[in-house]
Amino acid sequence: MNTFDQVLMMLKTRGAQTAQTLAGLLGMTGMGVRRQLELGVEKGLVSFLDTPGKVGRPVRRWQLTEAGHARFPDRHAELTLDLIEGVRALFGEAGLEKLIVAREEGSERAYRSRVDPTTTLDEQVAALAEARSLEGYMAEVEPRVDGSMLLLENHCPICAAAQSCQQFCRSELDVFRRVLGPEVNVVRIEHQLAGARRCAYLVSQA
């Protein structure tokens, strides 16, 4: 991955950042990072927002534009939307629900094959994050001081489908809960469809 793509990846996975913060994360000079960010602005992939700083000087934070987000996989959104509308037209909402249930069952089988219930919860959530990343969700796990974890998904490859049919999101949350078991609480605390930058799930022992 070249330097420019690394900068875009950081903005995708961490949200708006200052050039100084990005330089520290990437082990680059501030000037080198700003050069890449300015290139991103020229390409229409990056924008910036100036906010007041502590001593009066504005702080510039850089973020991806809609076109920047679109560089990441979307699982052929247009085709997916066409298929959803086709199922609705031919079979109604009941037919669409059957499609969602079938997808849910397939996802659950796939995750159960990767998540070993005899391992620790940390290991199970890490395995689930790995499985989600293979599907394009750019997932990672962030431990918290109280022993709980955040399962973070920095990209939604089915975002267009979920906007058209929000049952897909309900379905995914249900699958997580079943795979991790009844002794684990899984709560969605950030949701892209509600305007958040990413989806985040709080995972803890019941």
Side-chain angles (χ1 to χ4, degrees):
M1 184 182 296
N2 61 38
T3 302
F4 181 65
D5 287 337
Q6 288 179 335
V7 170
L8 295 185
M9 178 68 79
M10 278 294 174
L11 293 178
K12 179 65 178 173
T13 58
R14 295 178 180 268
Q17 301 288 331
T18 65
Q20 183 178 3
T21 300
L22 287 172
L25 291 169
L26 293 169
M28 297 173 58
T29 64
M31 182 177 296
V33 167
R34 278 189 287 273
R35 189 177 300 120
Q36 299 300 322
L37 291 168
E38 289 164 0
L39 176 60
V41 172
E42 291 175 12
K43 293 176 176 289
L45 303 175
V46 175
S47 64
F48 58 82
L49 179 66
D50 291 331
T51 56
K54 293 182 179 179
V55 294
R57 291 187 62 183
V59 176
R60 175 162 293 183
R61 287 184 169 82
W62 304 79
Q63 60 191 5
L64 293 181
T65 62
E66 186 174 340
H69 285 289
R71 280 176 62 101
F72 296 86
D74 65 358
R75 289 232 177 148
H76 312 295
E78 186 175 347
L79 174 59
T80 302
L81 289 176
D82 287 345
L83 289 172
I84 289 173
E85 292 309 313
V87 170
R88 270 201 179 109
L90 290 171
F91 307 108
E93 291 297 329
L96 186 57
E97 180 65 21
K98 289 181 179 179
L99 174 65
I100 292 167
V101 169
R103 177 181 180 272
E104 191 174 319
E105 292 172 348
S107 294
E108 184 173 348
R109 285 194 299 271
Y111 300 156
R112 286 189 184 280
S113 71
R114 290 181 166 274
V115 177
D116 183 350
T118 66
T119 58
T120 66
L121 181 57
D122 290 17
E123 292 171 319
Q124 292 179 52
V125 176
L128 180 58
E130 182 179 358
R132 296 289 282 177
S133 289
L134 290 173
E135 295 179 350
Y137 288 87
M138 297 173 65
E140 58 183 326
V141 180
E142 182 179 294
R144 290 159 53 98
V145 293
D146 63 359
S148 63
M149 288 161 282
L150 290 177
L151 172 60
L152 305 173
E153 296 185 341
N154 297 292
H155 181 61
C156 180
I158 64 163
C159 189
Q163 287 173 337
S164 175
C165 179
Q166 295 195 14
Q167 292 98 309
F168 281 111
C169 289
R170 178 218 69 202
S171 171
E172 290 182 332
L173 182 56
D174 289 344
V175 169
F176 293 169
R177 288 170 172 163
R178 289 201 298 272
V179 169
L180 294 176
E183 296 183 353
V184 178
N185 286 327
V186 184
V187 180
R188 183 188 286 119
I189 60 173
E190 295 180 39
H191 196 192
Q192 285 194 35
L193 293 189
R197 177 181 66 82
R198 63 190 180 186
C199 286
Y201 301 86
L202 177 61
V203 182
S204 60
Q205 293 285 355

